[in-house]
Amino acid sequence: MSAPTLQSFQDQVSELLLRHRSLLDVLSKYGQTNASVNRSVVKAVTECGCIELNAKKQFYAEDVDMEQAKQDLKSHLSGELCEHCKEIVTAELGKNLFYMSALCNLLEISMDDVVANESSKCSTLGYFNLS
Ligand SMILES: [Zn+2]
């Protein structure tokens, strides 16, 4: 079986989603599953301990070149997800994607278009600040 495309995934979600067809249900489930993604990452830090978070304010000069900035800026993350946590985070991301797909279906937005638009924006803008 070949890997599903975003469009085939959207079609699949559309067929499965009988209960949460209301826009309100989909919006609230989308928010809830997003919170669960964050929760699963937090639990990897606080309960499992496979990853650690050590955050502080970062400073970077405006005139520094991008390669240098990439090296200087920190993810505040050390370690890597263990198999168990990776499985959980992946599953939570999947549920979130399910409801993102359901939202796209209701609003007649193609996820392939979403990815294509964002990808072309990334290649046009290059590096940008996440702010
Ligand atoms: Zn872990």
Side-chain angles (χ1 to χ4, degrees):
M1 209 170 79
S2 59
T5 63
L6 288 171
Q7 188 54 58
S8 70
F9 181 61
Q10 274 188 264
D11 295 341
Q12 210 178 0
V13 168
S14 169
E15 279 175 32
L16 285 175
L17 209 69
L18 298 172
R19 230 162 58 109
H20 299 286
R21 281 200 179 276
S22 144
L23 178 61
L24 277 179
D25 276 345
V26 168
L27 280 175
S28 65
K29 291 295 282 184
Y30 182 47
Q32 201 176 48
T33 55
N34 191 9
S36 295
V37 171
N38 295 347
R39 180 79 188 128
S40 69
V41 176
V42 168
K43 278 173 128 178
V45 176
T46 60
E47 284 183 20
C48 177
C50 55
I51 56 173
E52 281 180 36
L53 189 61
N54 186 355
K56 60 183 177 186
K57 180 172 179 174
Q58 9 205 7
F59 295 94
Y60 57 99
E62 293 276 324
D63 56 354
V64 89
D65 72 84
M66 281 305 170
E67 283 309 312
Q68 189 61 45
K70 244 163 88 180
Q71 282 180 11
D72 294 345
L73 292 170
K74 306 275 187 286
S75 70
H76 296 141
L77 166 73
S78 60
E80 54 187 73
L81 288 177
C82 67
E83 281 304 309
H84 176 72
C85 292
K86 195 170 205 167
E87 208 173 288
I88 293 170
V89 173
T90 301
E92 297 297 355
L93 283 169
K95 286 182 205 160
N96 191 230
L97 201 56
F98 181 93
Y99 286 101
M100 181 193 283
S101 176
L103 182 63
C104 287
N105 282 341
L106 285 175
L107 300 176
E108 294 180 4
I109 291 172
S110 149
M111 286 172 83
D112 284 313
D113 288 349
V114 173
V115 172
N117 283 342
E118 197 60 25
S119 172
S120 84
K121 242 199 299 187
C122 287
S123 51
T124 312
L125 296 175
Y127 295 102
F128 55 90
N129 294 327
L130 183 68
S131 58

